[in-house]
Every structure is written in C-alpha cells, then in structure tokens.
Amino acid sequence: LKRSTHHLLLISSTVIRASTGASNLLSAQAIFTMKPQNLLASAAVIAAQSPVSVVAFSSPSLGGGTSRVAGAGLSRPRSSSTQLQISSIDTQALSELEDLISDLMEVKGGGSHGAQHSSSPFLSPGRSAPSTLSMAEASSAHDMPWTTTIGRTDETNPLLYMPFWDWQFDFMKSSLTNLHPIECTTLNDLDVTYKENKEKRARIVNHCYASDEYRKIRMTYYDAGDAVQVFNSVWYPDAKYNLPVLGIDILSFNRKKYLAIVDFQPLHQEEDDHATTYEHILHPIKDNYDNLKGRMSSKFYDETQFFSKEMLFARFEDGNVVEEDLFPAFQSYVKAHLDLVKTTTPVTSPKDIQHVFDRQCAYDTYSADRDPAAGLFAAMFGKEWAEDFIYDFLFSLSERSEEGLDFSPPGPPKGRKPAASGGPPAQGGGALVKEEASKKTMPSI
C-alpha cells in the first residue's frame, strides 16, 4: 500500500495540457501546494479528463535529494535529472491508475447512503485520504460522545455543547451522501484526534468526515469543566460548489459568559460572486431569535467584509439562551447550508473549480493566522503542538507564516498585512473569542 501510494503521489504531479499549451487541469503549482493527504484525490482529476499530452516529472531516484516548493510546506522527491519528458498516457496506464485509485479510496463501513464512494467526490482538489476506520469506529473514538467532564464542575450538564455534537453527527449520517471518516493527522504525521492535559484538567477531541457534498467537515470539542466548554465545526463544500463555508463557534467561560457565532462565511466579498445567493434564506431564520442578533466588535475585524449580514451572533450571560435559542437556530442553519449545496449546480470547468479551491486555501491561511484560541492551545498543550494543530489540522490548507503563530494578546497578526477588501473571511468569532481568551489564557479550573 505504501508503495502504491508513493506511485500515486508521483502520478498526481502530472499536468494535462491541451495542444495549445494552455493548462486544462490543475496547474503544477496548485498540485504541489497541496499537502500529501490531498494529493491522492487530486490524481483523479487528472485521470478523469481526456488528455492530449502529458508533462510529467521524471521518476525520482532513491538516492536523489529533495527540493522545496515555495509556499507549499511540502518536500517532494527530485529526479536525478530534472529534464521534463513528454509522453502519452496509454489506455493501460489509465486503467491501472483507475484501479489503483479505487483500491486506495475504498472505505470500510460507509454512511447510511452506502459504504463506498461514488467517483464524483474525487473530481475536485483538497480532499483528504479516507480513514481506515469504519464510521462506527470513528464516531466512538476516544469514548465520544463523552458523558462526563475531565474538569471541575458544579453543573448537572457539564458538557454543555455535547447535544450540538450529537445532533450534528446524527444529521450528517442521515442526510449526507457517502459519508466517511478521513484522516486526522498533520504534515508531520501527528495524530491530533485527541489531546489532554491531566494536570490542568483539559482535553480536546477532533473528528473529520467527508461526503459527496463536502470535502471536509471538522468537528472539535474542547472540555475543561465549567471553566471552558467549546464546540467548533467547519463545513467545507466540495470545490465544485462556489458556496460559503459553514462556520460554527460556540463557547462558554465559567458558565457566566457565552459567545456564539454561526454563519455562512463567504469566500468572496460580494454575495453575488457565489454560485447562489443565500442571505435571503437565512434572514427569516435569524429573525426568529432576537438574542442572536448581536453585532461583533470592530476592534479586530470588519464584519461587513468577512462575515455574512445574516450571521448569528450572541454574547450573553443567561445560559438558558443556549437551549432555547442557539440550539434550534444552529440546527436550522446547518440544514439550510446542506439544502443550499444540494440545490446548487456544481461547476465543471477545472479553472472554476481551482478558483473555489484557491479561495478555500486563502480562507484557511487567513483563519490560521488569526486563530483566537492559539494562546489557549499553547498554554494547555505547548506552542509546537499548537502551531502544528492550527496550521496543519484546523486549517489544513493554510500556508504557514514564516514568523509562526502570534501567541501574544489580541491585535493584528504579525507577519501579514490586514486583509484587503474582498479577502477571505475569518473563521468563527475570532476577535471576541481571542478577547475572552486573552483575559484568561489559563482558565481557572
């Protein structure tokens, strides 16, 4: 399997070009800026087209060195001779590639809509390799869903947001096509599915899934007893859908302060630049919940540039709002996002698909640089782990800043200029979460 994977990685570097010399598929730069877990699926983009000619890197020698592609965060094998060779893909080669992809992408124990993938999910970039775990094994990993907290508590329901996790997972199983778990590892093969600090009584668990509709759905739960409870989830549509990302950040600090953001986070400055408009769908939902019509502080972010006008936002001290308003509104937004994806016509042009993928990459980079929980993760689990976790997992398509993450109190991120108008959105409720975290980077637990 390792040898086959290696060969497939090499094949994925292939660039199909029309006879005019113009690329009709993903560019070599785009391919090599992908991380290894995304290259497997991208090879199918190549195999799915009708090639005219092929430009490929010559086979690497085992003793050859490595070269680093600028901005890729990825080292790739280098041929002993860098001379590009031009050849044709014959029918047998395509057949072998098709069989190889089929073998590597087979999923054990798929979702309710079938245990095996259809071919369609692998026609877009950015997809991670399927996990070897079945759905049952993945969903119960690390004893999820938890029923008791690792921290101190005076509450009868210490895991405040576990009902959100449970409902979302059940909804995914019943509503998504070919749902399956995907790998939760970083570029350095760090398993980030679970991490805990026994001394400080804090832990974090992460699950990742994909379906025909979504290339990645990340679910994260942070538990530190009554001190901090967090449920975070991001739904990335397949790159063939030019649609916003669904972002969810729901937090509780000492059961006295609550923050909540649920939003269709735009990839573009203008709503009309997406394949389908969506704010008119969200408005009547939001209109039902006066407690979720708050406004973000403009101290760090401009909500008119990086969030939709129908973002659910709440900063409150009454815990009853969680069950009475936030939970049903969250459910409605999740359902509405899936309905939006299912009713949107996917793009078919490789150029358009690549553009959407590029916007998702930019989204991840912007979000990673400004992640408000960076200080909390560093304090609980160490700075090195926090950087790998944020750059290579939470926002796995992000490009690392040369200066690394900024663990200082909130303010403009170091090493990057503020995003100009039209830039990608910030993930979740960045500024306000960081504001709270900075007051108590180490929660009293």
Side-chain angles (χ1 to χ4, degrees):
L1 179 60
K2 289 183 178 179
R3 183 166 58 251
S4 297
T5 302
H6 174 68
H7 291 161
L8 187 53
L9 289 175
L10 295 179
I11 295 170
S12 70
S13 69
T14 305
V15 180
I16 308 298
R17 296 184 181 274
S19 57
T20 60
S23 173
N24 70 337
L25 276 175
L26 303 180
S27 67
Q29 179 181 2
I31 289 174
F32 282 117
T33 55
M34 294 179 194
K35 296 180 179 180
Q37 60 265 37
N38 300 322
L39 283 169
L40 290 174
S42 300
V45 181
I46 299 165
Q49 306 296 320
S50 298
V52 176
S53 62
V54 179
V55 179
F57 288 96
S58 55
S59 302
S61 63
L62 293 178
T66 60
S67 62
R68 191 167 183 84
V69 180
L74 170 64
S75 294
R76 57 181 174 86
R78 190 173 194 178
S79 169
S80 56
S81 170
T82 58
Q83 178 66 34
L84 294 178
Q85 300 177 343
I86 300 177
S87 60
S88 298
I89 294 182
D90 58 25
T91 304
Q92 181 180 357
L94 284 175
S95 177
E96 291 176 354
L97 175 58
E98 182 178 316
D99 292 341
L100 180 57
I101 293 173
S102 177
D103 290 342
L104 290 174
M105 293 304 182
E106 183 176 352
V107 178
K108 177 183 178 183
S112 60
H113 290 265
Q116 301 228 352
H117 299 297
S118 67
S119 60
S120 58
F122 303 108
L123 299 183
S124 297
R127 287 185 171 267
S128 298
S131 170
T132 57
L133 300 178
S134 67
M135 281 294 295
E137 291 169 335
S139 63
S140 60
H142 305 292
D143 298 321
M144 286 297 285
W146 296 327
T147 56
T148 58
T149 179
I150 195 175
R152 296 186 177 91
T153 183
D154 295 322
E155 303 291 335
T156 57
N157 61 334
L159 298 169
L160 181 61
Y161 301 123
M162 197 55 68
F164 289 73
W165 178 289
D166 289 339
W167 180 87
Q168 177 172 307
F169 187 75
D170 288 341
F171 176 76
M172 288 161 53
K173 287 195 299 181
S174 63
S175 304
L176 299 181
T177 308
N178 292 322
L179 181 67
H180 61 279
I182 57 179
E183 294 293 345
C184 289
T185 56
T186 69
L187 192 61
N188 299 324
D189 291 328
L190 176 67
D191 184 357
V192 293
T193 55
Y194 181 81
K195 185 74 172 178
E196 71 175 46
N197 186 319
K198 293 182 179 179
E199 180 182 353
K200 298 172 183 176
R201 303 182 72 168
R203 60 182 174 177
I204 189 170
V205 67
N206 301 281
H207 285 191
C208 281
Y209 300 92
S211 69
D212 287 9
E213 300 86 358
Y214 295 90
R215 68 166 181 83
K216 179 179 179 181
I217 301 175
R218 174 175 57 75
M219 300 171 66
T220 297
Y221 200 99
Y222 180 89
D223 168 38
D226 292 347
V228 183
Q229 290 288 305
V230 179
F231 172 62
N232 171 269
S233 186
V234 185
W235 299 48
Y236 296 87
D238 185 277
K240 62 179 176 283
Y241 297 107
N242 181 17
L243 293 173
V245 171
L246 174 61
I248 302 159
D249 270 322
I250 306 173
L251 311 94
S252 168
F253 299 92
N254 294 318
R255 291 298 183 102
K256 295 179 180 179
K257 292 185 178 182
Y258 302 84
L259 295 172
I261 299 93
V262 183
D263 194 20
F264 285 24
Q265 299 188 264
L267 294 180
H268 313 287
Q269 172 75 12
E270 300 296 332
E271 182 187 10
D272 289 341
D273 289 338
H274 297 81
T276 306
T277 58
Y278 50 88
E279 290 185 349
H280 68 284
I281 300 172
L282 302 179
H283 181 76
I285 301 174
K286 181 179 178 179
D287 205 41
N288 291 328
Y289 303 100
D290 290 339
N291 288 323
L292 306 181
K293 297 178 181 179
R295 298 293 300 273
M296 293 185 67
S297 167
S298 60
K299 186 175 182 181
F300 305 105
Y301 295 115
D302 181 353
E303 67 175 3
T304 63
Q305 291 189 32
F306 304 121
F307 298 90
S308 80
K309 295 177 182 178
E310 300 302 330
M311 169 184 60
L312 297 178
F313 172 76
R315 185 175 189 177
F316 53 94
E317 296 182 1
D318 180 4
N320 292 323
V321 172
V322 173
E323 182 177 356
E324 295 173 2
D325 294 337
L326 183 56
F327 191 45
F330 151 79
Q331 292 172 315
S332 295
Y333 267 49
V334 171
K335 292 177 182 177
H337 197 272
L338 177 57
D339 287 342
L340 184 68
V341 173
K342 287 188 172 182
T343 56
T344 297
T345 302
V347 299
T348 57
S349 163
K351 180 179 179 181
D352 291 340
I353 291 174
Q354 183 62 41
H355 178 62
V356 174
F357 180 67
D358 288 344
R359 296 305 298 162
Q360 292 187 357
C361 291
Y363 170 95
D364 269 14
T365 296
Y366 183 90
S367 302
D369 283 347
R370 293 158 177 79
D371 192 296
L376 180 62
F377 293 146
M380 288 294 178
F381 308 122
K383 289 185 178 181
E384 183 178 354
W385 185 91
E387 286 215 4
D388 284 348
F389 180 64
I390 291 172
Y391 278 123
D392 294 338
F393 176 71
L394 288 186
F395 306 106
S396 58
L397 297 180
S398 63
E399 178 184 345
R400 283 189 183 238
S401 167
E402 293 181 1
E403 293 78 12
L405 286 177
D406 181 7
F407 296 110
S408 62
K414 296 179 180 178
R416 297 193 193 273
K417 297 179 180 180
S421 176
Q427 195 280 329
L432 292 172
V433 177
K434 193 166 186 176
E435 183 178 336
E436 284 296 329
S438 67
K439 295 176 183 177
K440 193 177 294 183
T441 302
M442 286 288 296
S444 57
I445 51 178

